[in-house]
Amino acid sequence: MDAVCEVRIPEGLRKVFYVLYSAVMRPIPDTDEKAHERISLIKKMITALEKHGLTESVLRYGFADDIAVFLISGVILNKIGLPDSMVSRWRNILGIEEDGKDCSWFLNDIHRFKIWASTASMNDLIGFIPPSKDEWDNLNLAPMEDLSVVESYVWLRDRYLFGDNMKAWEDSSLVKSTSLSIAVIQMPFLNVPLKNWV
C-alpha cells in the first residue's frame, strides 16, 4: 500500500502566514507571468494580514532571517531564479566568491540584510532586487529596529506559521509565549481562553 503524503493547509490567519511564507520562500519564476503571479499573491496576503490588524512588518521583521538565508543560499548556488546580472550584483555586494566557499561575510551580512529588509521598498524586498553597493555598505550605519519589535514579529511568525511545533520556534518566541501565558493566568478577570493568547 502506497503512503499518501497529505499537506494540511491551516485555516484563518495561520493560512495567510502559510501562503505568504510559501510564496516568498520560492525562487523567482522564469516567466514574467508566473513572476507577476508570485508578487500578486504576496501582496494579496499582505492585504489579508492588514484585515487582521497586522502590517507588512510581519514580512519585513518576522520573515527577515528566513528570507536572508533563502536569498543568500540561492545566490551562492545560483538557484534563486534571478537574472545573472542580479545574481552578480548580490554576489558583489555580499562579497561572495564564485565558488561560494568563503563564508566570512555571512553573519555581518545577515545583520545588514535585516536592516535592508526593514527599509527597502516592498517591490525590491519581494523581488529580491539588490541595493547598490554604496547603499549596502551604508546599512551598517543605519540603526537596527528595536529588538523587542523584531521579536514580536518573529513571535507572530512562529505562532501562526509553526503553531504547536514548538521545536521550530525561536527561543525569544518561546519566552514571549510563556510570559503571555503567565500574564493571562495572573489576570483571570480578562476572561479570555488561554489558547487564544498563546
Side-chain angles (χ1 to χ4, degrees):
M1 184 171 161
D2 292 331
V4 176
C5 182
E6 182 180 321
V7 176
R8 288 183 30 218
I9 298 178
E11 297 298 320
L13 192 53
R14 286 198 66 206
K15 182 176 183 176
V16 174
F17 273 78
Y18 178 85
V19 172
L20 177 62
Y21 188 84
S22 299
V24 171
M25 304 303 281
R26 75 169 71 138
I28 305 289
D30 55 3
T31 67
D32 287 343
E33 181 181 340
K34 296 252 186 230
H36 179 71
E37 287 174 11
R38 175 185 171 272
I39 288 172
S40 220
L41 178 60
I42 292 169
K43 289 182 176 181
K44 184 177 176 183
M45 291 301 102
I46 290 170
T47 300
L49 285 174
E50 290 169 352
K51 289 179 181 173
H52 289 280
L54 299 171
T55 67
E56 66 187 32
S57 295
V58 167
L59 185 65
R60 291 185 182 280
Y61 301 112
F63 292 0
D65 282 338
D66 302 307
I67 296 171
V69 171
F70 176 75
L71 175 66
I72 293 170
S73 61
V75 166
I76 290 171
L77 300 171
N78 200 10
K79 301 261 186 214
I80 197 77
L82 292 172
D84 289 342
S85 62
M86 275 202 225
V87 170
S88 293
R89 281 177 54 195
W90 275 114
R91 283 179 173 274
N92 180 42
I93 65 172
L94 294 169
I96 301 172
E97 296 177 15
E98 281 301 314
D99 62 10
K101 291 182 182 173
D102 177 17
C103 294
S104 59
W105 48 269
F106 191 73
L107 290 177
N108 184 41
D109 283 330
I110 291 286
H111 172 75
R112 256 194 269 194
F113 185 89
K114 289 181 190 181
I115 296 171
W116 176 76
S118 72
T119 61
S121 75
M122 188 51 57
N123 286 337
D124 286 356
L125 179 59
I126 62 180
F128 304 138
I129 299 168
S132 71
K133 179 82 168 128
D134 286 342
E135 285 176 283
W136 186 258
D137 291 342
N138 288 332
L139 288 173
N140 275 342
L141 304 174
M144 184 69 180
E145 187 65 51
D146 181 14
L147 190 58
S148 65
V149 172
V150 174
E151 287 177 348
S152 294
Y153 285 108
V154 171
W155 177 81
L156 283 168
R157 179 208 62 179
D158 291 348
R159 169 74 176 90
Y160 290 105
L161 189 60
F162 303 124
D164 294 337
N165 181 12
M166 299 278 202
K167 290 180 182 178
W169 285 39
E170 294 288 330
D171 289 344
S172 63
S173 296
L174 293 170
V175 169
K176 187 175 285 295
S177 197
T178 303
S179 298
L180 285 171
S181 298
I182 291 169
V184 170
I185 290 168
Q186 291 176 347
M187 294 182 277
F189 59 86
L190 288 175
N191 199 20
V192 177
L194 186 60
K195 70 177 186 166
N196 292 341
W197 285 85
V198 293

